[in-house]
Amino acid sequence: MTDLTLYHNPRCSKSRGALELLEARGLTPTIVRYLETPPDAATLAALLGKLGIAPRQLLRSGEDDYKALDLGNPALTDAQLIAAMAEHPKLIERPILVAGDKAVIGRPPEKVLEILP
């Protein structure tokens, strides 16, 4: 079985739901509480590669930091957006399940089931 890693925020209902779905299938992912131990820029870049999305698609645009940092500005580079997420991890969409070389954002939580081996 492929190792599973869940970037998790226990205060988020979607994140809790994804974890419950995995556990109901007898799966125990490695939990990364990304607000407590934020991923660095290199880790975020690798996650984006596994997700197959651009950095802007991983941003939580409703967060106050998104507005305060003017992250909606189209002139910002991918590197600048990744740096902002590394510095302010609550900007990262959640939950993210990683299974081998694939990853998915668990919104809705059932999406995590799509990449299970």
Side-chain angles (χ1 to χ4, degrees):
M1 158 91 22
T2 303
D3 285 338
L4 301 175
T5 301
L6 184 68
Y7 286 82
H8 179 61
N9 177 354
R11 293 181 53 199
C12 171
S13 64
K14 303 283 190 245
S15 197
R16 290 191 311 270
L19 181 57
E20 288 168 7
L21 284 170
L22 295 170
E23 290 174 339
R25 283 160 178 73
L27 302 171
T28 306
T30 299
I31 302 293
V32 176
R33 290 187 173 201
Y34 69 94
L35 293 176
E36 297 169 15
T37 53
D40 61 18
T43 301
L44 283 168
L47 274 173
L48 288 162
K50 290 178 181 190
L51 287 163
I53 62 173
R56 198 167 290 286
Q57 294 173 278
L58 190 59
L59 281 167
R60 293 177 55 84
S61 60
E63 292 291 334
D64 290 340
D65 284 347
Y66 181 89
K67 295 168 189 72
L69 297 169
D70 193 28
L71 296 177
N73 181 344
L76 294 175
T77 65
D78 286 353
Q80 289 171 309
L81 296 173
I82 291 170
M85 286 185 276
E87 183 71 24
H88 305 275
K90 67 181 174 181
L91 289 167
I92 301 169
E93 191 60 80
R94 62 185 178 254
I96 301 169
L97 180 67
V98 180
D101 63 352
K102 296 179 185 175
V104 67
I105 298 170
R107 289 191 166 269
E110 294 78 16
K111 288 199 60 96
V112 298
L113 302 177
E114 294 176 3
I115 64 166
L116 294 180

